[in-house]
Amino acid sequence: MRQPLSTLGKIAFWGFLLATIAGIGGNVALILGGSPSRDLLTFAALLLVTTILVITGIRWLQAAAILPGVVLLYLFFTQPFVIQSLDEPKTDPQGGFGHFIGVVILFAIITLAFAASVGQVLQNYHRMGRRDTRRLAPIFSVIAGMTIGTLCIGALSPAAPSATIAAIAPLQAPQVPTGQGVSTAVNMGMAGAPTSLTQLQTPATPTHEDHFTLTAQKAQLALDSGTTVPGWTFNGTAPGPTLHVRQGDEVVVTLVNHLSFGVTIHWHGVRVANAADGVAGVTQDAVKPGQSYVYRFIALDAGTYWYHSHQFSYEETTNGLYGMLIVDPAIPTIHTDIDYSVALHSWNGANNQTLYTMNASDGTLTQKARPGQWVRLRIVNTAETPSGNPQLVTLVGAPFQVVSLDGHDLYGPQPLNETPLPIGSAQRYDLYFQMPTHGSVALVTAADSQHYVRAPALVIGQGTLPARLPTITKWFDLTTYGTPTADPVTNQSHFDATYTITLGNQMGMSLGRSGMTYTMNGKVFPDTGMIMVKEGQLIKLHFDNQTNLYHPMHLHGHVFTVLAQNGQPLTGSPVHQDTVLIPPHASYDVAFVANNPGIWMLHCHNFLHANWGMDMMVMYDVSTPYTVGSASGNFPD
Ligand code: C2O
Ligand code: CU
């Protein structure tokens, strides 16, 4: 049975041995580097087994080596680092061109070793005597048949997720649309205006400065479930670093772009000076690969905010270019022992699945807390909810108050029990509660309008997620919540101008693509027109949603006072938001004081809707040197 290795056998043996050594070396490097990879360990172990099988010289063992050989090729080829490296030889973040050559060589060696081991088996089969042949031929035929079959199925079938490897397609860099129906250069400003938005800067002041650097870079996001999601991130994580500052501070952020396409940072909900608003084609050019850009603004208002790219937001923010910004009040308003923030996000998984995360976890996040402690839990929905519906969340284990919406405090908030909270894309809720004397408090999300799910979840304090999750009851309603109190802007205020904005959807053209479009007053961006305002005016907007979908409408650089829903004035606390969620076939009245000169986007924060047309500008008499369109490559959505 055992015989000396033929030439092919030797090639197979040496090939697998070399690859094993490379695999072990790679493991050692990763373990020393502090990020051991389960996949690479499996890979090296399998290589070792295959090498041993080949060197035995025993025919049937050598034949058996073909199967792990197939698995090895499959494993290797579906590794995210391999896909990424082969896909983008020069810019892959793992190590560029050298890494690419290494990957190709390793791939070649394994393929060669595999081919040689198949050859070796066939050779052995050929040399066999008649007696053996009769006995072994059917076995080898079966093995060969299975191998060929496996290979064919593997080659033809779409990438499937496995327990250890997420076969999620690598991200494709956003493409600048061109061609028919795509604007080349649209200037969003007022030509010949006395002020250019480049003058609308935050001056360097003697106040306290907080400096941060955010580097836009690729990363493989390893989730608790073992799935790895390819992402574009700030500083290698999604959410990016939480920027924690104090009200009144000057925030100075250097954006460094290590991606292969343009990015910006928009400070969502923050009343920045216009030049720092981070909208590609409006307040700046998208920051090119290899370049950097400095944002400087004063954190005027305390509260929960976030940041995200505003260049191809639909692709860039969705795939990880976002993070949280927390502004602590200059004078604390409520006693807080624990201040915790959660970003709800969704990702494209394999096979068109949607993966949901809380911060970087798709399992259970935990946060320590002792009985009796007071917790402020900040929640932001950074996700593109595929259905366009708001994300429903609730808190289980303690009564809670909603103390602020979009970072702005509510007055006299009542305690709630397991009330479902609808969070539109970009909106924030701050919850406030006291830890019970025993047990935990959990934040859970709903997958649909019927059921809460067990993951992702946040568990605060001792214990685990409760065995039974509540059923979904009547949603939180911001129009009746809290206690009325005086507010500078009310329904009775005198408005200098009132604009009606009809939200619609219809088949049409947007960005050169024809299909469904989302419209404002029947038009798609950049033909949606603008809302002209003058400094000091009080402007009322009447949103009339004529679609079957929710639209979280966001205005940059200002804060809305919510006046009425379907014509009914609010009966609870005054509500101030930067993103107002408009239900299907509902209307909302909001008002804002025009107190921040510039050119400001007003758009649906459902990224897909914005991408397909639902954007316009609120305009002061201001010009801009930047343009949106294919000439500059600036596409804010
Ligand atoms: Cu959160 Cu126009 O953006
Ligand atoms: Cu929308």
Side-chain angles (χ1 to χ4, degrees), residues 318-406:
T318 311
N319 285 308
L321 288 168
Y322 67 90
M324 295 187 76
L325 168 66
I326 311 289
V327 183
D328 285 331
I331 304 148
T333 45
I334 52 176
H335 170 81
T336 304
D337 299 305
I338 288 166
D339 192 319
Y340 192 78
S341 320
V342 170
L344 307 174
H345 203 73
S346 66
W347 306 85
N348 297 319
N351 299 332
N352 294 321
Q353 275 175 301
T354 304
L355 304 172
Y356 293 90
T357 53
M358 278 191 190
N359 294 344
S361 169
D362 62 347
T364 308
L365 274 178
T366 55
Q367 165 65 35
K368 288 202 179 77
R370 288 193 308 276
Q373 283 189 315
W374 286 95
V375 182
R376 184 182 195 117
L377 176 59
R378 305 168 188 266
I379 309 164
V380 54
N381 183 5
T382 60
E384 172 75 355
T385 9
S387 60
N389 291 341
Q391 176 69 62
L392 282 186
V393 305
T394 199
L395 203 67
V396 190
F400 63 93
Q401 291 165 292
V402 176
V403 287
S404 55
L405 290 174
D406 289 359

Side-chain angles (χ1 to χ4, degrees), residues 51 59 67 86 90-91 101 297 346 378 578:
T51 314
R59 284 177 203 147
L67 273 182
L86 295 180
K90 291 198 171 131
T91 53
I101 302 224
F297 60 90
S346 66
R378 305 168 188 266
D578 54 64

Side-chain angles (χ1 to χ4, degrees), residues 19-30:
T20 308
I21 294 169
I24 293 174
N27 272 307
V28 170
L30 283 185

